[in-house]
Amino acid sequence: MKEKLVVIVGPTAVGKTKTSIELAKAFDGEIISGDSMQIYRDMDIGTAKVTSDEMEGIPHHLIDIKDPTESFTVAEFQNLVQPLITDLNQKGKLPFLVGGTGLYVKAITHNYQFAEGPSDEDYRNALETFVEKHGVVSLHEKLKEIDPISYKNLHPNNYRRVIRALEVFKVTGQPMSDMQHDEEKPSPYDLVMIGLTMDRDVLYSRINERVDKMMEAGLLEEAKLLYEKGVKDFQSVQAIGYKEIYDYLEGRVTLEEAVSNLKQNSRRYAKRQLTWFRNKADVTWFDMGQNGFNENIVKMHTFIEGKLYNNSEISKELKRGGHLQ
């Protein structure tokens, strides 16, 4: 039998945290963070990291496992998550993979075989220097002949992934796009994929409100502390929520402009998240703006139960448990 896995995806601020906790309580589950930034310690406010109170006793994994000065790759994420899913299944716990980082989620649900190979730090540094001198478009052109699929799929501005694609080819002789063939394979898991969505205007309003609450909660102070510790040119602080505040700290924009940019970039990111999951994942969507929260939870509960348990004794036991009103 395949191991069971429930995945909950959706754009920022749509309600993934609260939804996943309610469902994990109902199914005796544990939550694995599928967010590429919540792995970092000391970056709580800007990543909207779940608090201990919000967890309501549900164990959360892959949160606060790296320092902000450390790098983290999707292949490393995969190596951590796969055995964790096995362990939770063996313990009789239902794993919930929850997050908005599309490639991280797909790396698990379809077991991407990454052509990582050994890295070449000198070559990577040389490419970083090339970007500074010649720009991201010139770097992107280097992919055209050696990996035309990645050339087509990667935007020039996503220069770190472009650099990685070039590095993979140099080290292994194989294009990084080879991993994309894994999307056509069936998932190794007994998989349920749930997507959360809502009216675009409502979502954008929630994002703006979330940013205001982050500022009230001390995002400026959190970012300033990282900045003063010398966390400046690292992967962690390239994230939305920190790079905008860094622009303010370095005098490029006013604080008001930084907050406005943060809201705009968050809205754009939410749009990209929705587009990615709709194009690259077999997701069943639930509109969180329709009906009440509890009614949506009941619908998702029924959906998961039907997909994973059918009319089994486990399903009957869940119904007797009275977890949901």
Side-chain angles (χ1 to χ4, degrees):
M1 291 179 63
K2 290 184 176 181
E3 295 169 349
K4 291 177 171 59
L5 176 64
V6 177
V7 178
I8 299 177
V9 298
T12 184
V14 78
K16 295 186 296 293
T17 297
K18 184 178 179 181
T19 297
S20 62
I21 289 169
E22 286 301 314
L23 291 172
K25 288 193 296 184
F27 285 96
D28 191 21
E30 297 189 12
I31 293 171
I32 303 168
S33 172
D35 187 292
S36 62
M37 300 311 300
Q38 293 189 358
I39 60 165
Y40 290 112
R41 304 180 188 99
D42 303 322
M43 297 177 65
D44 302 334
I45 300 170
T47 64
K49 197 176 293 177
V50 61
T51 67
S52 296
D53 288 342
E54 289 170 340
M55 290 180 187
E56 296 189 40
I58 298 297
H60 281 61
H61 304 272
L62 266 69
I63 292 177
D64 292 338
I65 63 170
K66 289 278 186 177
D67 288 328
T69 54
E70 296 180 280
S71 62
F72 192 66
T73 67
V74 63
E76 188 176 354
F77 175 79
Q78 188 185 60
N79 290 335
L80 291 171
V81 171
Q82 288 175 333
L84 181 55
I85 291 172
T86 297
D87 182 59
L88 291 175
N89 271 273
Q90 289 176 347
K91 291 178 179 178
K93 300 287 185 178
L94 183 59
F96 286 79
L97 177 62
V98 182
T101 306
L103 185 60
Y104 279 48
V105 171
K106 289 288 281 187
I108 300 303
T109 60
H110 286 74
N111 191 28
Y112 280 170
Q113 300 300 307
F114 290 98
E116 289 289 342
S119 62
D120 188 331
E121 189 170 350
D122 289 340
Y123 181 62
R124 194 184 322 129
N125 290 338
L127 291 176
E128 293 274 3
T129 301
F130 181 89
V131 172
E132 293 174 6
K133 290 183 177 179
H134 304 287
V136 295
V137 174
S138 295
L139 178 79
H140 187 243
E141 285 298 311
K142 286 178 173 286
L143 272 181
K144 196 169 188 177
E145 291 187 11
I146 65 170
D147 190 350
I149 296 176
S150 291
Y151 173 80
K152 179 181 178 182
N153 291 339
L154 291 175
H155 192 281
N157 289 344
N158 193 2
Y159 73 94
R160 293 189 183 280
R161 290 295 294 168
V162 174
I163 286 176
R164 185 59 189 146
L166 291 166
E167 183 185 13
V168 165
F169 185 83
K170 182 178 185 297
V171 172
T172 68
Q174 299 294 321
M176 190 176 73
S177 56
D178 280 355
M179 74 178 189
Q180 293 177 338
H181 296 305
D182 296 323
E183 288 190 31
E184 301 169 6
K185 300 176 183 177
S187 175
Y189 298 108
D190 190 0
L191 179 67
V192 177
M193 291 199 69
I194 287 174
L196 307 185
T197 186
M198 62 176 51
D199 176 79
R200 189 70 56 89
D201 290 338
V202 176
L203 178 64
Y204 285 177
S205 178
R206 285 169 62 97
I207 289 171
N208 291 340
E209 183 179 346
R210 171 183 274 194
V211 170
D212 289 335
K213 288 182 178 179
M214 285 178 172
M215 294 304 296
E216 292 171 8
L219 175 58
L220 174 59
E221 291 74 18
E222 182 175 82
K224 188 176 181 181
L225 188 60
L226 290 167
Y227 186 85
E228 291 174 347
K229 286 181 177 180
V231 185
K232 297 179 182 179
D233 297 315
F234 295 97
Q235 176 183 340
S236 59
V237 291
Q238 302 307 311
I240 295 171
Y242 296 92
K243 61 183 180 180
E244 294 85 1
I245 301 300
Y246 271 36
D247 283 343
Y248 163 69
L249 294 174
E250 293 178 348
R252 288 189 286 272
V253 297
T254 66
L255 183 57
E256 183 179 357
E257 289 170 333
V259 172
S260 177
N261 291 340
L262 173 49
K263 290 177 179 179
Q264 183 181 63
N265 290 338
S266 297
R267 294 192 301 268
R268 288 174 174 170
Y269 179 56
K271 184 178 179 180
R272 291 198 302 272
Q273 286 175 303
L274 280 168
T275 300
W276 201 98
F277 284 115
R278 282 174 174 154
N279 290 340
K280 291 183 176 289
D282 183 17
V283 176
T284 298
W285 293 92
F286 292 83
D287 191 329
M288 302 304 288
Q290 294 183 0
N291 308 312
F293 177 79
N294 288 338
E295 186 174 343
N296 275 316
I297 290 293
V298 170
K299 287 181 177 179
M300 287 181 236
H301 181 278
T302 302
F303 178 69
I304 294 170
E305 189 178 79
K307 284 280 190 177
L308 295 183
Y309 302 111
N310 297 317
N311 294 317
S312 67
E313 289 303 314
I314 295 176
S315 175
K316 294 174 185 176
E317 183 62 30
L318 282 169
K319 290 177 180 177
R320 286 196 293 268
H323 292 286
L324 296 174
Q325 300 300 317

